[in-house]
Amino acid sequence: RALDWGAVEYLAKPVRMTALAEKVRASLATDSAAKATATANDTAGTFGDMSVGGGPGMRRIYEMLPRVVASDSTVMILGESGTGKEVIARAVHEHGKRKNGPFVQVNCAALVDSLLEAELFGVVKGAATDVSERPGKFELAHGGTLLLDEIGDMAAATQSKVLRVLQERVLQRVGSNKDISVDVRIVAATHRDLEAMVAQNAFRQDLYYRLNVIRIELPPLRERLGDLELYTNFFLKRLSERTGRKVTNLTADALKVLQSHPWPGNVRELENVLERAMVLSSGSVLDFEDLPPLSASQRSDGGLAYRLPEEGISLEVLEKDLIVQAMDRSGGNKSAAARLLGLTRRTLGYRLEKHGLGNAEDSEKEEP
């Protein structure tokens, strides 16, 4: 009887059941959308204090880092200056087995050969006039991690001594023949092409293979511009905490200006540009007018950003074409277009009028 009455009630209230079905359908749709959003957001993330983008190059690094920090193997980090090699090195240390030990770094390009050896291996008293005994970076990093930054600039004689430490885990201070045991994890970093240097006998092949156990290659910022907004937000948050300036975001026009720059200084340059803009701005949102002028004349490898064709080119035609592109990209905003071209607003107005793209109101007749 109860079953029959339930069936009657079900048939007697189709409107309620239809509404319930719609509610369930809407709930499922919302759940699917949430999962899709989570999947999209999962393409980028952070590893410690490091912002990781969603591009293929950085995504591969992000996926391998947990396995890297779980090991104690030597790591070699390659990438242009300013790509974040030191940040990766610190992340490897701070999340690894040696996180409670020291993190020591030495810039191999900053010291002449004799000083670098003393810096790395230490010296004994009397090794030279007025020299007192002191340990080197290898000893100071005992139980922790030693970052050999710009190792591609290390002299051949020093390379051989570093190789011995890596092979035998012992060193001798300058002026001594006594072996000292050390236990360190080595992270080497360089912006140079070590494989090419090995081929040219400018870098020891055996040392290269000792270092090239786990290889991490950081792409330049110009190859991960899709992640630029992620990095910008990351730096704005960190800079706000550091400077006390509450700048939370930047406008679409400002982002377009940043995305049009080739970033020869890579991530380090981006952070410096944002810090300068934040300090000098007055609002809580950065606009393109708050950004400093960005020069795009050369790439970080020293090559020219634009190669003159063999057959030559008309500067007038090229200039007009670039102005049209800048105006199109900025949505007709002349100030934003001027920044894209590295010009003042007045200079752009003059050139718009010269090419028949503007009128007399766009300039003051004379190019500044």
Side-chain angles (χ1 to χ4, degrees):
R1 180 177 178 83
L3 179 62
D4 291 344
W5 177 250
V8 171
E9 186 179 28
Y10 174 85
L11 294 174
K13 297 181 178 179
V15 175
R16 180 197 295 180
M17 296 310 296
T18 300
L20 178 61
E22 289 298 329
K23 186 175 182 179
V24 171
R25 187 180 297 112
S27 177
L28 290 173
T30 302
D31 183 60
S32 298
K35 289 181 178 179
T37 302
T39 301
N41 290 339
D42 192 47
T43 60
T46 59
F47 193 90
D49 191 39
M50 179 180 62
S51 180
V52 181
M58 292 305 295
R59 187 61 183 173
R60 283 193 295 270
I61 293 172
Y62 181 55
E63 290 172 347
M64 72 184 293
L65 274 176
R67 298 190 292 275
V68 174
V69 300
S71 76
D72 204 34
S73 300
T74 300
V75 179
M76 184 163 68
I77 307 173
L78 305 175
E80 295 177 4
S81 296
T83 49
K85 297 187 291 294
E86 182 185 337
V87 175
I88 294 288
R90 286 188 177 276
V92 168
H93 170 75
E94 292 171 359
H95 296 271
K97 300 176 180 179
R98 297 173 178 266
K99 61 184 178 181
N100 294 323
F103 176 83
V104 180
Q105 63 184 106
V106 58
N107 188 330
C108 301
L111 300 170
V112 297
D113 300 342
S114 58
L115 292 179
L116 179 59
E117 286 195 24
E119 191 75 6
L120 289 173
F121 309 116
V123 295
V124 296
K125 184 177 181 180
T129 305
D130 297 327
V131 171
S132 58
E133 186 166 343
R134 62 183 174 86
K137 298 295 188 182
F138 273 100
E139 289 180 73
L140 294 175
H142 184 77
T145 303
L146 175 61
L147 168 60
L148 297 173
D149 199 9
E150 300 302 350
I151 197 169
D153 292 88
M154 183 181 289
T158 309
Q159 290 178 31
S160 64
K161 295 182 179 181
V162 169
L163 177 63
R164 178 177 183 249
V165 178
L166 298 185
Q167 290 175 330
E168 303 175 16
R169 299 293 173 179
V170 296
L171 59 83
Q172 292 180 353
R173 290 181 179 178
V174 175
S176 171
N177 56 9
K178 178 184 176 181
D179 285 344
I180 299 176
S181 298
V182 290
D183 174 27
V184 298
R185 181 180 194 177
I186 299 296
V187 178
T190 182
H191 71 282
R192 296 186 179 276
D193 186 343
L194 291 187
E195 290 183 355
M197 293 180 68
V198 168
Q200 298 165 5
N201 295 320
F203 196 86
R204 291 184 63 108
Q205 185 180 58
D206 45 7
L207 177 58
Y208 171 75
Y209 288 126
R210 278 282 176 180
L211 297 173
N212 193 30
V213 179
I214 299 177
R215 182 188 183 102
I216 298 177
E217 297 185 56
L218 290 175
L221 184 55
R222 63 180 175 275
E223 294 181 6
R224 36 179 163 143
L225 290 178
D227 296 326
L228 191 67
E229 186 172 7
L230 171 71
Y231 294 130
T232 298
N233 291 335
F234 175 81
F235 284 131
L236 286 179
K237 180 180 178 182
R238 191 163 76 174
L239 289 168
S240 291
E241 295 171 352
R242 183 195 305 170
T243 64
R245 286 275 292 108
K246 299 302 180 183
V247 177
T248 58
N249 207 344
L250 73 168
T251 65
D253 285 339
L255 183 61
K256 286 181 180 179
V257 172
L258 297 180
Q259 289 174 332
S260 69
H261 185 57
W263 298 107
N266 291 294
V267 180
R268 184 186 298 128
E269 182 188 3
L270 173 63
E271 183 175 13
N272 291 339
V273 165
L274 292 174
E275 182 173 3
R276 177 180 172 184
M278 178 180 290
V279 170
L280 298 179
S281 67
S282 56
S284 61
V285 177
L286 293 181
D287 202 354
F288 63 89
E289 294 178 344
D290 298 315
L291 300 174
L294 300 174
S295 173
S297 60
Q298 285 195 317
R299 301 194 309 262
S300 58
D301 59 5
L304 297 174
Y306 182 83
R307 290 286 180 183
L308 180 67
E310 292 295 331
E311 66 277 12
I313 194 170
S314 167
L315 282 176
E316 292 293 314
V317 172
L318 179 60
E319 181 180 88
K320 182 176 181 179
D321 183 58
L322 290 174
I323 289 174
V324 170
Q325 290 185 52
M327 290 293 290
D328 181 63
R329 184 177 298 181
S330 64
N333 186 310
K334 296 183 178 66
S335 295
R339 286 191 171 273
L340 289 174
L341 296 168
L343 304 175
T344 65
R345 169 66 175 77
R346 181 185 174 200
T347 300
L348 176 62
Y350 167 83
R351 295 182 180 179
L352 284 169
E353 184 183 6
K354 182 180 75 171
H355 292 293
L357 301 173
N359 50 52
E361 295 178 357
D362 287 323
S363 70
E364 297 182 22
K365 302 296 184 181
E366 293 182 359
E367 183 174 9

